[in-house]
Amino acid sequence: SILMNYNNSNWYLMQYSITPTIVGVKDGMPQAKIEKEGFAKESSYENIINWFSSFENRFKIPIYRMYFECIKMKKFAKLTDFISLNYISTCVQFAVSPKAVHTLKQYEINFELYDCQIYYRNSIINDYKVLYLPFLDLDNFDIENSVFYTGSFITKDKQYLKIKNKEDYLSVKYAKKVEKLKLGKIFDENTDMFNSIFGGIIVSKRLKDAILKIGITGIEFNLPDKPMIE
């Protein structure tokens, strides 16, 4: 997971809310599930899954229109502006309300929206969209000056990794963690939200403040213990 240092707090980690009074679910798991059985054609579901099975695709927005035909809310789940979805890919973690869509469109974000049907209690909701956030291309990070490690301090096997560039990063096959993530020269400073291979959706302070002010529900912003985005 991304570690950050929020002394200047320009960036926040956005995660789905696990507060039962807000999301209704008590087990800390997502509120809804993309349900294969609810797709008229099994192939429509398989096409979505197959798209994400390619590592390269996670950095791109699909050219075809995905349609999430059946998203079933869990029994006690409440309807929030951001509805957390079961894991099929870190690129699609949420279905979002019209209010959330309206807000996101006013900020600098590379995203796509896909139609979906949400089965909620005894009704079908058609005005939410599935939010697709591709990974930000690795060229946007100064990998040589970022700090990566493997293992952990707790298990006494923490080792820093010498990683000079994205090829190095991609060639290391075992679990890598980030202690410091440095944004590169070509990173667009106006960006308000990005998804990264380093773990997590990162949001600018101004977008976080707007979301909290407007009262958009279903997500929370965390300041992980460490490390930092610079």
Side-chain angles (χ1 to χ4, degrees):
S1 61
I2 283 207
L3 323 161
M4 304 178 197
N5 168 340
Y6 294 92
N7 296 337
N8 54 0
S9 293
N10 286 333
W11 299 105
Y12 291 80
L13 186 60
M14 183 179 97
Q15 293 169 309
Y16 65 83
S17 174
I18 54 169
T19 310
T21 49
I22 296 172
V23 294
V25 204
K26 293 190 171 72
D27 60 3
M29 300 300 282
Q31 293 152 275
K33 185 172 190 301
I34 299 162
E35 200 72 76
K36 177 180 180 174
E37 291 71 36
F39 282 68
K41 286 205 199 92
E42 194 176 318
S43 60
S44 314
Y45 175 84
E46 297 299 342
N47 287 342
I48 292 173
I49 300 300
N50 290 341
W51 169 265
F52 291 116
S53 64
S54 149
F55 177 73
E56 285 74 24
N57 282 354
R58 296 174 211 173
F59 293 87
K60 300 182 215 154
I61 284 176
I63 38 186
Y64 81 99
R65 299 295 306 164
M66 290 183 173
Y67 176 42
F68 293 81
E69 199 171 339
C70 179
I71 296 176
K72 271 203 179 125
M73 297 286 284
K74 290 192 186 155
K75 191 174 177 185
F76 297 109
K78 294 182 179 180
L79 211 53
T80 45
D81 292 306
F82 274 73
I83 293 172
S84 50
L85 304 174
N86 66 307
Y87 179 80
I88 63 161
S89 166
T90 40
C91 298
V92 287
Q93 299 184 33
F94 298 102
V96 288
S97 71
K99 176 173 156 185
V101 167
H102 178 74
T103 305
L104 295 174
K105 284 185 168 170
Q106 295 172 53
Y107 289 83
E108 290 295 318
I109 309 169
N110 178 30
F111 68 96
E112 189 54 85
L113 298 166
Y114 295 111
D115 291 340
C116 64
Q117 290 192 120
I118 296 177
Y119 290 76
Y120 175 61
R121 301 193 174 152
N122 294 318
S123 58
I124 296 179
I125 297 166
N126 287 303
D127 62 351
Y128 272 62
K129 303 284 181 197
V130 168
L131 175 65
Y132 182 111
L133 285 167
F135 285 153
L136 188 62
D137 197 79
L138 288 174
D139 295 331
N140 287 279
F141 303 99
D142 176 355
I143 289 179
E144 187 173 6
N145 292 302
S146 295
V147 179
F148 300 94
Y149 67 97
T150 179
S152 113
F153 180 69
I154 301 157
T155 50
K156 298 189 171 61
D157 60 351
K158 180 172 178 178
Q159 285 184 320
Y160 286 99
L161 301 169
K162 286 192 173 68
I163 292 182
K164 292 196 173 61
N165 51 39
K166 73 173 182 183
E167 288 70 33
D168 269 6
Y169 178 83
L170 295 170
S171 70
V172 176
K173 289 288 178 259
Y174 43 84
K176 312 173 277 285
K177 297 170 196 155
V178 193
E179 189 161 296
K180 182 175 84 176
L181 183 57
K182 200 160 169 53
L183 299 171
K185 289 190 180 70
I186 69 158
F187 176 80
D188 179 354
E189 308 234 318
N190 297 314
T191 301
D192 285 301
M193 181 187 280
F194 66 89
N195 198 355
S196 94
I197 190 178
F198 305 113
I201 297 171
I202 307 300
V203 174
S204 69
K205 183 179 188 309
R206 65 179 185 156
L207 177 53
K208 172 199 72 95
D209 291 346
I211 284 173
L212 295 176
K213 188 178 167 194
I214 294 161
I216 286 173
T217 56
I219 44 175
E220 48 193 48
F221 299 96
N222 294 313
L223 307 181
D225 313 331
K226 52 177 183 197
M228 25 176 149
I229 289 199
E230 290 182 350

